[in-house]
Amino acid sequence: MAKIYADNAATTKMSRRAIDTMVKCMEEYYGNPSSLYEVGQEAQEKLTEAREKVARLLGCEAREIIFTSGGSEADNQAIISAAKLGAKKDKKHIISTAFEHHAVLHTLNKLEKEGFEVTLLDVHENGLVTPEQVEEAIRPDTCLVTIMYANNEIGTIQPIKEIGKICKEKGVLFHTDAVQVAGQLHIDVKEQNIDMLSISAHKFHGPKGAGALYARKGIVITNLIEGGAQERGKRAGTENVPAICAMAEALEEACEKIEKKTAKLLEMREVLIEGISKIPHSILNGDKEKRLPGNVHFCFEGIEGEALLLLMDDKGICASSGSACTSGSLDPSHVLLAIGRPHEIAHGSIRLSLSEENTMEEMPKIIKALEEVVTYLRRISPVWRDLEQGKVEHII
Amino acid sequence: MALYSEQVMDHFRNPRNLGAIEDADAIGEVGNATCGDIMRIYLKINDEVITDIKFETFGCGSAIASSSMATELIKGKTISEALALTNKAVTEALGGLPAHKIHCSVLAEEAIQAAIEDYRKRQESKN
Ligand SMILES: Cc1ncc(COP(=O)(O)O)c(C=O)c1O
Ligand SMILES: [Zn+2]
């Protein structure tokens, strides 16, 4: 059975260009960039090229890029660095949102235990926070605002430039987790008032285990890994040259394609949203307009997400869910709870995230499979029986 | 490696004893929508023997497969045999479950106990 891969927010298939770059690097530029002979220096050159490329695509300078092992490390490093800087000036208040990725939330939890105070802004039902909320939350002792550019589950795009502007005016550092955005929307850190930004290669058809942190020059970055002097002393360890070069190539390719890709993704997204909306007692999560072009996210009443995903997999469709049972905790997705979905509804969700590898022909197949699976699971669900018999009222 | 064993996937894909019994002698329901798994079991009982059993489950693969397996294991058995059914027996019959999915399968054992309790209550109010 031909698989339909609709989980590109989890990870993407590497592009041919990225794979070729990676293999070429492994074969030809195998030297250690810190070695002074030619083989090493050639690898160093590739690294420099990659850094310049990534910097150009994000609108910053090469020396403002630190290569990391991925999005999680970049998030950790940005937040820890800002906290350290804050603590020096006795500023120990951080602002974030309730629906960040765990790479951010867990780092903030750790800081709370160390005496920092964290304000998590409420997210509106449409999956957005406003610049006004940020402005109201900033205090004299605020050292960092960290708000994701686009949410990884429901795909909503935050008003980053406006939030950045407020932070700039108030003299507070602003970090954004742009892991879901890089290669999807044009990023320009200077124009968008961003001080620090995280990206991860495997979300834009690059390799896993490579990412980058942009940190505006002048911001003193704290090392998470001690050792050699790589990455200007900010991240020890021999650089993963093949993955870094492939990341730069993948980002370039993704950015070149943005306009064309967006048009195609939007068309597919709208077909999916329209088709899935016809399933009774379903609801789209996240703003209809201000969302990533490839993101579709729905909740269905009366069913549970893991069963939904397993049966979709049986029909050859790879999707994801914010269901508790898939993650091993009893609570459903913190993102869905943050936008106010009650537990009963939050358990029955599906995320479909498209890339340019998907085709319009796949969309009706996804819709049909989803209809069948939802209908079946409702038929075997005691919750659905109670809803249908009027013993319990429908929420959606 | 798949998340679930073949037996789990078989019971998940082709649940045995699925549905409701309109004139059930006992109904047991455990779990709640907040925590994510709900199981409802319907019994027909004749002379202390479970002559028919059906279930409905809102829940994950583990929950649905455990419900199905549990109903298979106690169909045709006496009430006291059914009460002796443990979660461990259900899990074993399914060829094991991932550690973090065991809690979903506990519901099957509990639902059966709840149904039998319901039966006892109904018997008492009859007498
Ligand atoms: C928004 C967001 N931040 C951070 C991460 C973590 O990135 P990585 O897997 O590269 O550590 C992810 C992906 O899982 C993500 O979606
Ligand atoms: Zn479960």
Side-chain angles (χ1 to χ4, degrees), chain A residues 5 95 99 103 110 122 367 386:
Chain A
Y5 186 75
I95 298 167
F99 77 160
K110 192 167 85 174
D122 288 337
I367 296 166
D386 289 350

Side-chain angles (χ1 to χ4, degrees), chain B residues 72-86:
Chain B
E72 279 289 271
L73 291 174
I74 65 164
K75 197 174 183 176
K77 298 283 165 67
T78 64
I79 287 181
S80 53
E81 283 170 327
L83 280 173
L85 179 79
T86 62

